[in-house]
Amino acid sequence: MKYLVRDRIFGIGDDYWIEDEHGRHVFLVDGKALRLRETFELKDLQRRVLIVIRKKMLSLRDAMTIERDDRPLATVRRKRLSLLRHHYRVEMVDGTELDVSGKILDREFAVEYDGELLADISRRWLTLRDTYAVNVVREDADPPLLIAIAVCVIRLAERERGDG
């Protein structure tokens, strides 16, 4: 299933819908205005919070946290000692690690677990300039989590480059 995500997701107070490949609303992005740190919530059609993304405040390396049900779910940060500039690690609270690599700033990258593709993030399928697709490959994967991971690595890469 492909989900279409607007490129500038961290607009102050911006709310907008993530759509599926058929143009149906699937998730609502609720950008939280007037917060000390970047925060956004991913909500379902009934506006229940599924995922919260926050910039980690006190961290030696730039990181973002993903929460579910008011509990930490994962931390996303650039992988240490990687030869690839855009190689990120997602550390789940259960000890599982996901790898994210590719051309993050070009919106052409993959999320993998133990060498198996979970999601492919790309603009190549789209004609909309400010949108990218999160193509969830596995049926048993968690789409809100994979969308959140994509948003986090893009934001971290942009900050590293000096875009925010």
Side-chain angles (χ1 to χ4, degrees):
M1 175 66 80
K2 289 181 188 149
Y3 299 92
L4 306 180
V5 181
R6 201 174 81 197
D7 215 358
R8 291 289 172 187
I9 202 163
F10 277 103
I12 299 296
D14 260 358
D15 294 353
Y16 75 92
W17 288 98
I18 292 175
E19 299 175 344
D20 67 13
E21 58 194 315
H22 306 292
R24 295 180 298 234
H25 290 173
V26 183
F27 303 113
L28 175 67
V29 174
D30 185 356
K32 295 297 181 185
L34 304 173
R35 296 276 175 106
L36 289 176
R37 58 184 178 167
E38 291 175 319
T39 301
F40 96 83
E41 295 175 344
L42 190 62
K43 299 179 177 182
D44 65 13
L45 293 173
Q46 291 74 38
R47 298 180 184 253
R48 292 179 298 227
V49 175
L50 302 173
I51 296 277
V52 176
I53 294 178
R54 301 179 200 278
K55 180 184 182 300
K56 200 163 184 175
M57 292 298 283
L58 302 171
S59 178
L60 293 175
R61 294 183 300 148
D62 212 7
M64 298 190 85
T65 60
I66 300 171
E67 300 171 6
R68 179 175 279 148
D69 300 325
D70 294 322
R71 283 185 243 128
L73 180 62
T75 300
V76 182
R77 60 175 51 100
R78 192 163 70 80
K79 193 171 183 176
R80 263 194 259 176
L81 305 173
S82 173
L83 296 176
L84 301 172
R85 179 175 167 85
H86 295 293
H87 194 166
Y88 290 80
R89 173 174 287 134
V90 180
E91 298 168 354
M92 306 295 292
V93 292
D94 68 2
T96 304
E97 290 187 358
L98 307 179
D99 283 317
V100 181
S101 61
K103 297 177 180 178
I104 308 295
L105 295 172
D106 292 336
R107 310 315 188 250
E108 299 291 336
F109 58 95
V111 180
E112 297 179 335
Y113 169 68
D114 202 22
E116 183 178 349
L117 183 65
L118 299 178
D120 185 20
I121 291 75
S122 180
R123 281 191 174 148
R124 70 179 169 265
W125 301 298
L126 305 173
T127 56
L128 299 171
R129 194 174 68 98
D130 291 335
T131 304
Y132 58 92
V134 176
N135 183 28
V136 178
V137 177
R138 288 184 45 154
E139 286 193 28
D140 62 341
D142 182 347
L145 174 62
L146 293 169
I147 290 168
I149 289 169
V151 168
C152 287
V153 297
I154 289 169
R155 189 64 182 140
L156 289 169
E158 287 174 343
R159 277 207 301 265
E160 187 177 309
R161 185 176 71 181
D163 290 353

